[in-house]
Amino acid sequence: MITHLAHYETSLFWGWVLAMVVPSVALLRLALWPDPIPSQNSVGAIRARIERERRGAAADTMRLPPVTVPQAARRPAHRRVAA
């Protein structure tokens, strides 16, 4: 009878461990453990992306081709003054 009672108490203990401690540890881990920062969201990656975009924008403004296409007249042909 004593051994049966000891096994019963042991199973109750492990039941409480499974029912209370394991979920509590899992919830604490989710609440307190810091999430890893994805590599594309790190400070260095953001700075590099901003620098690439800045250089790209500067390159777009510096490498504009010269305008060689004749400009259209502002007034229609029938309104131009003949000289």
Side-chain angles (χ1 to χ4, degrees):
M1 179 72 173
I2 298 293
T3 57
H4 176 69
L5 186 58
H7 288 294
Y8 177 74
E9 289 177 357
T10 304
S11 64
L12 280 179
F13 169 76
W14 288 114
W16 275 104
V17 167
L18 287 175
M20 300 299 280
V21 175
V22 172
S24 299
V25 169
L27 287 174
L28 282 174
R29 191 253 184 247
L30 287 174
L32 301 177
W33 198 270
D35 290 331
I37 298 173
S39 60
Q40 70 269 18
N41 290 344
S42 68
V43 174
I46 292 171
R47 285 183 180 161
R49 186 175 67 234
I50 290 171
E51 185 64 24
R52 278 194 315 269
E53 290 173 358
R54 188 184 64 79
R55 287 182 184 165
D60 287 344
T61 59
M62 286 189 270
R63 296 181 188 168
L64 288 176
V67 178
T68 56
V69 179
Q71 296 293 323
R74 292 186 180 203
R75 294 183 181 179
H78 67 278
R79 294 214 167 198
R80 286 193 214 149
V81 177

